[in-house]
Amino acid sequence: MNTEQSAGANNCPVSTPEGKDVRKGAVKRTPFSKFKKVHSNFKSPLQVCESAKVSPAEEVAELVRRREQLDIEITQLEAEGYRVDELEHHIDMLHEYNDIKDIGQSLLGRIVRL
């Protein structure tokens, strides 16, 4: 079906069918949306521009630099008295808290439905 582009009230392009076979008041298969194009091409959220691509050697060098930086941060935190087992304990406590919170929300949902 051929379409003709025209501007709507908000100066947004509106796709209008042309031809004699179109009935007045016919429902379109895809509604017009002023926020996004309905018939636009798919765009992956993980797009990488051509200029951002780096060679594997540069990527390895960047990862080595990042690892060294993280090792320095770890030694600073250990020097301040932090321990890995403390972190694991806090993570376990957060998991327990989240489980209790989920159960509480579930019970409140059941009470509301009564």
Side-chain angles (χ1 to χ4, degrees):
M1 171 174 27
N2 293 334
T3 59
E4 177 185 346
Q5 296 291 328
S6 63
N10 296 335
N11 291 330
C12 295
V14 178
S15 179
T16 57
E18 64 180 37
K20 297 179 181 177
D21 60 338
V22 179
R23 298 175 298 214
K24 267 192 169 177
V27 178
K28 293 182 183 179
R29 293 184 110 181
T30 53
F32 171 72
S33 172
K34 66 179 179 179
F35 298 110
K36 64 180 180 177
K37 292 182 180 177
V38 176
H39 298 291
S40 64
N41 295 333
F42 173 75
K43 294 180 184 172
S44 172
L46 300 176
Q47 293 180 353
V48 177
C49 13
E50 294 297 322
S51 62
K53 291 184 181 178
V54 294
S55 70
E58 291 173 344
E59 188 175 354
V60 168
E62 174 63 25
L63 290 172
V64 168
R65 187 192 65 77
R66 178 74 175 134
R67 181 176 180 181
E68 291 171 354
Q69 181 183 3
L70 290 173
D71 286 340
I72 291 170
E73 289 180 23
I74 288 171
T75 55
Q76 287 175 346
L77 290 172
E78 287 175 344
E80 292 175 8
Y82 293 103
R83 296 188 325 247
V84 174
D85 55 337
E86 268 185 48
L87 178 65
E88 291 173 0
H89 175 71
H90 285 289
I91 290 172
D92 290 339
M93 289 173 49
L94 282 171
H95 284 297
E96 185 176 350
Y97 165 79
N98 284 331
D99 291 340
I100 292 170
K101 181 185 67 135
D102 291 343
I103 291 169
Q105 287 178 339
S106 172
L107 289 173
L108 285 174
R110 288 183 182 187
I111 291 171
V112 167
R113 280 184 263 168
L114 293 177

